[in-house]
Amino acid sequence: MSIVFGTLTASTISDATARLAALRAAAVEECTLMLPLIKRLEVILVLDSDAPERGDDVFRAVARRLHAHSCDFVGGGRERELELIAEGHDAYSEVVQILQQAKCSNIRDLDFALDGCGRLMEARGVRLSLENSGIPDVQYSVLRTLSIALAIAYTYLTLDRGEMAGVQPHALGFVMADSGVVFDASFGVHALFAVVASALVVFNSLAIDVNLPFSGVFRLESGTVAASLKNLRSATAPYLDEPPDSPSEVAALYSSED
């Protein structure tokens, strides 16, 4: 039983750790793809001397979407992202729509941005899939059941027998006497049981914690993600306020043709 418990615990921790590493890699890829996309669009649509007439409006629309997504990425939660995707209001889908309509309005050099959005959507899909692919609850139930069974089996096997049968040992295995601390014959059993029980608790807690990438002690953290999101927000911050005379983000792309 102890071999089964040890094997299952090691497998659970290994699977959860591998998932955490894959989730970190997916999050890093998504964040590092957003940053060059927004930087290149800013140069082409706003900063370049030959920037298109409505390039600033297009870039402001894209900047608002990516800035909002960066906020949801950190604190929105998986459920909110899935809800926005199901409703067709997620940031990446709207950015693709804005860029495609801008391209149809003769704003060129946007193919790289559309391809980049496709890669972003793929990276997001991998990340959301990994967030939902935790260790099954039944595996943790088996782990807890084995832990209880091990504790019960150890308790039964270490019951006082033979010479100790007629002696009532102290609950802690030692007593305080005038000469100091006096250990009885059951102290070693008590100490070993404490070690076994503590190990069971630690192993169960560790296995559960590594399966909580956003709230556990071993939660998802990455300096690359933090730096990329900080840079992204700094780049999009000046373009979040829409100019008063600017038309709506999508309709503006076709208003000149009316």
Side-chain angles (χ1 to χ4, degrees), residues 67 232-241:
H67 185 90
L232 176 69
R233 292 182 179 182
S234 298
T236 56
Y239 301 95
L240 297 181
D241 295 330

Side-chain angles (χ1 to χ4, degrees), residues 52-55 58 97-108 110 249-257:
E53 180 182 354
R54 295 193 176 275
V58 173
Q97 181 184 20
I98 292 169
L99 293 176
Q100 186 61 54
Q101 290 179 335
K103 183 179 178 181
C104 293
S105 298
N106 297 322
I107 297 181
R108 302 176 182 178
L110 295 179
E249 294 159 354
V250 178
L253 302 175
Y254 294 100
S255 60
S256 59
E257 301 176 3

Side-chain angles (χ1 to χ4, degrees), residues 73-176:
F73 186 90
V74 175
R78 176 177 174 275
E79 291 74 15
R80 172 175 169 78
E81 284 196 70
L82 292 177
E83 181 181 352
L84 291 174
I85 292 173
E87 295 175 354
H89 297 314
D90 62 292
Y92 294 155
S93 297
E94 292 185 349
V95 168
V96 169
Q97 181 184 20
I98 292 169
L99 293 176
Q100 186 61 54
Q101 290 179 335
K103 183 179 178 181
C104 293
S105 298
N106 297 322
I107 297 181
R108 302 176 182 178
D109 301 326
L110 295 179
D111 289 337
F112 80 92
L114 291 169
D115 293 340
C117 287
R119 294 177 61 191
L120 278 170
M121 296 176 81
E122 292 177 4
R124 180 188 60 185
V126 172
R127 174 175 58 81
L128 292 176
S129 177
L130 286 170
E131 289 182 18
N132 193 41
S133 61
I135 306 301
D137 291 337
V138 64
Q139 188 166 333
Y140 285 106
S141 298
V142 173
L143 200 60
R144 285 190 290 267
T145 302
L146 284 174
S147 300
I148 295 173
L150 274 174
I152 293 175
Y154 184 84
T155 302
Y156 174 77
L157 293 174
T158 55
L159 289 176
D160 297 315
R161 296 182 177 85
E163 296 180 357
M164 287 294 298
V167 180
Q168 182 64 35
H170 192 271
L172 298 178
F174 67 91
V175 294
M176 301 295 295

Side-chain angles (χ1 to χ4, degrees), residues 14-38:
S14 177
D15 292 345
T17 304
R19 168 178 171 254
L20 182 63
L23 182 57
R24 180 183 291 107
V28 169
E29 181 181 8
E30 185 177 354
C31 288
T32 52
L33 283 173
M34 281 192 287
L35 188 57
L37 173 64
I38 203 71

Side-chain angles (χ1 to χ4, degrees), residues 27-79:
V28 169
E29 181 181 8
E30 185 177 354
C31 288
T32 52
L33 283 173
M34 281 192 287
L35 188 57
L37 173 64
I38 203 71
K39 292 291 188 179
R40 292 185 64 182
L41 282 175
E42 182 182 21
V43 173
I44 294 174
L45 299 177
V46 180
L47 302 180
D48 189 74
S49 57
D50 295 329
E53 180 182 354
R54 295 193 176 275
D56 184 77
D57 294 336
V58 173
F59 183 75
R60 288 179 181 274
V62 172
R64 278 192 290 274
R65 298 309 193 279
L66 292 183
H67 185 90
H69 178 69
S70 69
C71 297
D72 291 337
F73 186 90
V74 175
R78 176 177 174 275
E79 291 74 15

